[in-house]
């Protein structure tokens, strides 16, 4: 019996980027849900189970940082930020808000998928209660 496909929520206001990410994720066995606004993303994250969130910072109705903060307030789902904003201060701020990783656009799909797999592995270890060395 195979493991269920991971479900990723892609939040970006650019249709072309959502289409690119959907194709890349689906070719690698993921189920993809999409949102074009922060409000739509938060609603989607609360109404259906997801394994990972990919969020752009430049959304039409709110900053992606607000989406990260709101999802993180009730969920431990891995969150990866995709953005053209590349300042160190911005990255640090998002990571401190609760993002698990930050990828600067433009990016390669292979790198993003590797980061996604790392985040999902970390999440599985946390959920499974893997023993720690003291």
């Amino acid at each position: 019996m195979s493991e269920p496909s991971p479900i990723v929520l892609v939040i970006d206001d650019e249709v072309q980027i959502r289409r690119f990410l959907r194709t890349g994720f689906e070719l690698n066995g993921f189920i993809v849900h999409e949102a074009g606004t922060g409000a739509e993303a938060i609603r989607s994250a609360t109404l259906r189970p997801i394994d990972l969130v990919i969020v752009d910072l430049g959304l039409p109705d709110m900053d992606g940082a607000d989406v990260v903060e709101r999802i993180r307030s009730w969920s431990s789902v891995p969150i990866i930020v995709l953005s053209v904003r590349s300042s160190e201060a911005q990255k640090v701020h998002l990571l401190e808000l609760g993002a698990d990783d930050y990828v600067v656009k433009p990016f390669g799909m292979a790198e993003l998928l590797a980061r996604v797999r790392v985040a999902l592995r970390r999440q599985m270890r946390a959920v499974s209660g893997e023993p720690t060395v003291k």
Side-chain angles (χ1 to χ4, degrees):
M1 180 177 241
S2 65
E3 292 184 29
S5 297
I7 302 168
V8 61
L9 173 60
V10 174
I11 309 162
D12 199 302
D13 62 324
E14 294 183 48
V15 174
Q16 304 92 322
I17 292 185
R18 289 198 317 263
R19 190 175 300 137
F20 169 74
L21 292 171
R22 172 181 285 282
T23 301
F25 281 121
E26 286 179 345
L27 286 172
N28 284 276
F30 288 79
I31 295 169
V32 179
H33 298 296
E34 298 179 25
T37 67
E40 186 182 342
I42 292 165
R43 185 172 38 259
S44 183
T46 58
L47 294 177
R48 55 178 92 169
I50 52 174
D51 298 306
L52 181 101
V53 173
I54 302 286
V55 61
D56 180 44
L57 296 180
L59 300 173
D61 60 339
M62 66 177 71
D63 193 273
D66 296 328
V67 175
V68 170
E69 195 170 24
R70 290 174 72 177
I71 291 175
R72 186 55 73 226
S73 71
W74 55 267
S75 175
S76 63
V77 66
I79 301 172
I80 297 177
V81 173
L82 287 181
S83 182
V84 295
R85 301 177 199 172
S86 62
S87 77
E88 181 181 19
Q90 183 73 39
K91 292 175 189 176
V92 168
H93 175 68
L94 267 293
L95 293 168
E96 289 178 347
L97 277 180
D100 295 280
D101 203 349
Y102 194 109
V103 178
V104 177
K105 293 178 183 177
F107 59 91
M109 195 65 196
E111 178 187 0
L112 179 60
L113 285 165
R115 291 172 181 264
V116 163
R117 285 189 288 271
V118 167
L120 290 172
R121 250 191 335 261
R122 258 190 227 125
Q123 181 71 2
M124 291 304 280
R125 285 184 190 136
V127 170
S128 70
E130 193 172 277
T132 56
V133 177
K134 292 185 181 184

